[in-house]
Amino acid sequence: MDSLVIVDAANVVGSVPDGWWRDRRGAAERLRDALPPYAAQGLPGLVAPPLELVLVVEGAARGVSSVEGVRVESAAGSGDDRIVALVAQEGDGRDCLVVTADRELRRRVEALGARVTGPRAVRPGGGGRT
């Protein structure tokens, strides 16, 4: 069974002060567009392919569409709650990695058996554990 990698879009986008707050949807789309190589090649030192990559968006980024290799989930409310629900619903019985630096979210998904890594794992020039 493929590993499941869930990316907290708001947290990853917010980890770099590059003006993302002026266009939250555009920032989420740029992140989404940077993720397909990870879906194909895995996250070095963290997850080998094959993997299913899910980007969770919320707020102004809701409605960002999926692309090949990246399924986008729009949270109706809290992105954190949607991530926890995905871990509970789809992570059981398979390797599950959540990409976020949010401490409370980390605690919640780790309690469900998921592993966690920080935003640098999927940011350009990142890679590796954080």
Side-chain angles (χ1 to χ4, degrees):
M1 183 178 285
D2 294 357
S3 294
L4 176 63
V5 176
I6 303 170
V7 178
D8 179 354
N11 189 266
V12 173
V13 164
S15 70
V16 176
D18 62 0
W20 59 265
W21 52 89
R22 290 187 292 267
D23 181 10
R24 293 170 193 254
R25 182 184 179 101
E29 289 171 338
R30 287 188 297 279
L31 174 59
R32 175 207 57 201
D33 293 345
L35 295 176
Y38 297 113
Q41 301 164 8
L43 293 169
L46 295 169
V47 179
L51 62 94
E52 178 183 5
L53 206 152
V54 180
L55 179 67
V56 176
V57 297
E58 63 186 346
R62 278 190 202 108
V64 169
S65 60
S66 298
V67 296
E68 186 171 340
V70 181
R71 183 176 102 212
V72 178
E73 290 274 333
S74 291
S78 159
D80 290 1
D81 290 346
R82 183 66 188 132
I83 291 167
V84 171
L86 284 168
V87 170
Q89 295 163 1
E90 299 183 27
D92 192 35
R94 66 178 175 168
D95 180 39
C96 182
L97 177 72
V98 175
V99 181
T100 188
D102 182 302
R103 289 182 186 157
E104 177 61 16
L105 178 57
R106 289 172 84 100
R107 183 195 64 75
R108 292 172 68 192
V109 298
E110 285 174 339
L112 294 171
R115 296 182 300 125
V116 180
T117 192
R120 284 185 288 180
V122 295
R123 295 296 298 196
R129 297 177 194 271
T130 56

PDB file of all heavy atoms in Angstrom, residues 2-6 50-54 69 71 90 94:
ATOM      1  N   ASP A   2       0.522   2.233  -0.787  1.00  0.00           N
ATOM      2  CA  ASP A   2       1.287   3.473  -0.863  1.00  0.00           C
ATOM      3  C   ASP A   2       1.321   4.188   0.485  1.00  0.00           C
ATOM      4  O   ASP A   2       0.340   4.160   1.225  1.00  0.00           O
ATOM      5  CB  ASP A   2       0.661   4.439  -1.871  1.00  0.00           C
ATOM      6  CG  ASP A   2       0.720   3.941  -3.301  1.00  0.00           C
ATOM      7  OD1 ASP A   2       1.292   2.861  -3.543  1.00  0.00           O
ATOM      8  OD2 ASP A   2       0.188   4.629  -4.183  1.00  0.00           O
ATOM      9  N   SER A   3       2.440   4.857   0.760  1.00  0.00           N
ATOM     10  CA  SER A   3       2.502   5.739   1.922  1.00  0.00           C
ATOM     11  C   SER A   3       1.610   6.943   1.659  1.00  0.00           C
ATOM     12  O   SER A   3       1.373   7.323   0.514  1.00  0.00           O
ATOM     13  CB  SER A   3       3.937   6.219   2.150  1.00  0.00           C
ATOM     14  OG  SER A   3       4.773   5.149   2.500  1.00  0.00           O
ATOM     15  N   LEU A   4       1.123   7.556   2.730  1.00  0.00           N
ATOM     16  CA  LEU A   4       0.290   8.745   2.640  1.00  0.00           C
ATOM     17  C   LEU A   4       1.076   9.924   3.188  1.00  0.00           C
ATOM     18  O   LEU A   4       1.550   9.886   4.324  1.00  0.00           O
ATOM     19  CB  LEU A   4      -0.999   8.549   3.450  1.00  0.00           C
ATOM     20  CG  LEU A   4      -1.951   9.745   3.543  1.00  0.00           C
ATOM     21  CD1 LEU A   4      -2.490  10.122   2.163  1.00  0.00           C
ATOM     22  CD2 LEU A   4      -3.094   9.427   4.505  1.00  0.00           C
ATOM     23  N   VAL A   5       1.227  10.966   2.373  1.00  0.00           N
ATOM     24  CA  VAL A   5       1.888  12.195   2.802  1.00  0.00           C
ATOM     25  C   VAL A   5       0.858  13.312   2.727  1.00  0.00           C
ATOM     26  O   VAL A   5       0.293  13.563   1.656  1.00  0.00           O
ATOM     27  CB  VAL A   5       3.122  12.526   1.935  1.00  0.00           C
ATOM     28  CG1 VAL A   5       3.722  13.869   2.342  1.00  0.00           C
ATOM     29  CG2 VAL A   5       4.162  11.418   2.029  1.00  0.00           C
ATOM     30  N   ILE A   6       0.614  13.958   3.858  1.00  0.00           N
ATOM     31  CA  ILE A   6      -0.363  15.048   3.936  1.00  0.00           C
ATOM     32  C   ILE A   6       0.392  16.329   4.245  1.00  0.00           C
ATOM     33  O   ILE A   6       1.120  16.402   5.235  1.00  0.00           O
ATOM     34  CB  ILE A   6      -1.415  14.777   5.021  1.00  0.00           C
ATOM     35  CG1 ILE A   6      -2.130  13.445   4.755  1.00  0.00           C
ATOM     36  CG2 ILE A   6      -2.414  15.934   5.098  1.00  0.00           C
ATOM     37  CD1 ILE A   6      -3.023  12.978   5.893  1.00  0.00           C
ATOM     38  N   PRO A  50       6.174   4.129  -3.831  1.00  0.00           N
ATOM     39  CA  PRO A  50       5.058   4.986  -4.227  1.00  0.00           C
ATOM     40  C   PRO A  50       4.416   5.652  -3.018  1.00  0.00           C
ATOM     41  O   PRO A  50       4.436   5.118  -1.912  1.00  0.00           O
ATOM     42  CB  PRO A  50       4.089   4.006  -4.898  1.00  0.00           C
ATOM     43  CG  PRO A  50       4.312   2.717  -4.166  1.00  0.00           C
ATOM     44  CD  PRO A  50       5.795   2.706  -3.855  1.00  0.00           C
ATOM     45  N   LEU A  51       3.862   6.833  -3.262  1.00  0.00           N
ATOM     46  CA  LEU A  51       3.165   7.528  -2.191  1.00  0.00           C
ATOM     47  C   LEU A  51       1.989   8.299  -2.751  1.00  0.00           C
ATOM     48  O   LEU A  51       1.954   8.630  -3.931  1.00  0.00           O
ATOM     49  CB  LEU A  51       4.109   8.460  -1.431  1.00  0.00           C
ATOM     50  CG  LEU A  51       4.767   9.610  -2.188  1.00  0.00           C
ATOM     51  CD1 LEU A  51       3.953  10.892  -2.058  1.00  0.00           C
ATOM     52  CD2 LEU A  51       6.155   9.839  -1.609  1.00  0.00           C
ATOM     53  N   GLU A  52       1.033   8.533  -1.883  1.00  0.00           N
ATOM     54  CA  GLU A  52      -0.111   9.377  -2.218  1.00  0.00           C
ATOM     55  C   GLU A  52       0.127  10.711  -1.518  1.00  0.00           C
ATOM     56  O   GLU A  52       0.344  10.743  -0.308  1.00  0.00           O
ATOM     57  CB  GLU A  52      -1.409   8.751  -1.725  1.00  0.00           C
ATOM     58  CG  GLU A  52      -2.622   9.611  -2.008  1.00  0.00           C
ATOM     59  CD  GLU A  52      -3.920   9.033  -1.467  1.00  0.00           C
ATOM     60  OE1 GLU A  52      -3.889   7.999  -0.781  1.00  0.00           O
ATOM     61  OE2 GLU A  52      -4.964   9.649  -1.738  1.00  0.00           O
ATOM     62  N   LEU A  53       0.092  11.796  -2.272  1.00  0.00           N
ATOM     63  CA  LEU A  53       0.368  13.112  -1.724  1.00  0.00           C
ATOM     64  C   LEU A  53      -0.917  13.933  -1.701  1.00  0.00           C
ATOM     65  O   LEU A  53      -1.573  14.087  -2.724  1.00  0.00           O
ATOM     66  CB  LEU A  53       1.431  13.806  -2.572  1.00  0.00           C
ATOM     67  CG  LEU A  53       2.247  14.846  -1.818  1.00  0.00           C
ATOM     68  CD1 LEU A  53       3.627  14.975  -2.436  1.00  0.00           C
ATOM     69  CD2 LEU A  53       1.563  16.171  -1.786  1.00  0.00           C
ATOM     70  N   VAL A  54      -1.260  14.438  -0.501  1.00  0.00           N
ATOM     71  CA  VAL A  54      -2.483  15.219  -0.312  1.00  0.00           C
ATOM     72  C   VAL A  54      -2.102  16.584   0.254  1.00  0.00           C
ATOM     73  O   VAL A  54      -1.394  16.665   1.253  1.00  0.00           O
ATOM     74  CB  VAL A  54      -3.465  14.506   0.645  1.00  0.00           C
ATOM     75  CG1 VAL A  54      -4.725  15.338   0.839  1.00  0.00           C
ATOM     76  CG2 VAL A  54      -3.797  13.104   0.149  1.00  0.00           C
ATOM     77  N   GLY A  69      -0.647  13.777  -9.487  1.00  0.00           N
ATOM     78  CA  GLY A  69       0.295  13.468  -8.417  1.00  0.00           C
ATOM     79  C   GLY A  69      -0.008  14.156  -7.095  1.00  0.00           C
ATOM     80  O   GLY A  69       0.564  13.801  -6.074  1.00  0.00           O
ATOM     81  N   ARG A  71      -3.329  15.379  -4.782  1.00  0.00           N
ATOM     82  CA  ARG A  71      -4.752  15.551  -4.505  1.00  0.00           C
ATOM     83  C   ARG A  71      -4.908  16.725  -3.541  1.00  0.00           C
ATOM     84  O   ARG A  71      -4.242  16.777  -2.513  1.00  0.00           O
ATOM     85  CB  ARG A  71      -5.313  14.281  -3.855  1.00  0.00           C
ATOM     86  CG  ARG A  71      -6.810  14.340  -3.598  1.00  0.00           C
ATOM     87  CD  ARG A  71      -7.305  13.012  -3.056  1.00  0.00           C
ATOM     88  NE  ARG A  71      -7.503  13.112  -1.616  1.00  0.00           N
ATOM     89  CZ  ARG A  71      -7.326  12.117  -0.768  1.00  0.00           C
ATOM     90  NH1 ARG A  71      -6.894  10.938  -1.180  1.00  0.00           N
ATOM     91  NH2 ARG A  71      -7.567  12.293   0.510  1.00  0.00           N
ATOM     92  N   GLU A  90      -7.687   7.659   6.442  1.00  0.00           N
ATOM     93  CA  GLU A  90      -6.898   7.080   5.354  1.00  0.00           C
ATOM     94  C   GLU A  90      -5.517   6.601   5.773  1.00  0.00           C
ATOM     95  O   GLU A  90      -4.835   5.947   4.998  1.00  0.00           O
ATOM     96  CB  GLU A  90      -6.762   8.108   4.219  1.00  0.00           C
ATOM     97  CG  GLU A  90      -8.094   8.520   3.637  1.00  0.00           C
ATOM     98  CD  GLU A  90      -7.952   9.478   2.468  1.00  0.00           C
ATOM     99  OE1 GLU A  90      -6.904   9.454   1.783  1.00  0.00           O
ATOM    100  OE2 GLU A  90      -8.903  10.242   2.222  1.00  0.00           O
ATOM    101  N   ARG A  94      -1.161   2.063   7.102  1.00  0.00           N
ATOM    102  CA  ARG A  94      -0.094   2.415   6.173  1.00  0.00           C
ATOM    103  C   ARG A  94       0.747   3.541   6.752  1.00  0.00           C
ATOM    104  O   ARG A  94       0.325   4.266   7.643  1.00  0.00           O
ATOM    105  CB  ARG A  94      -0.642   2.791   4.805  1.00  0.00           C
ATOM    106  CG  ARG A  94      -1.482   4.045   4.732  1.00  0.00           C
ATOM    107  CD  ARG A  94      -1.891   4.279   3.287  1.00  0.00           C
ATOM    108  NE  ARG A  94      -2.792   5.383   3.124  1.00  0.00           N
ATOM    109  CZ  ARG A  94      -3.082   5.906   1.952  1.00  0.00           C
ATOM    110  NH1 ARG A  94      -2.538   5.439   0.860  1.00  0.00           N
ATOM    111  NH2 ARG A  94      -3.918   6.913   1.844  1.00  0.00           N
TER     112      ARG A  94
END
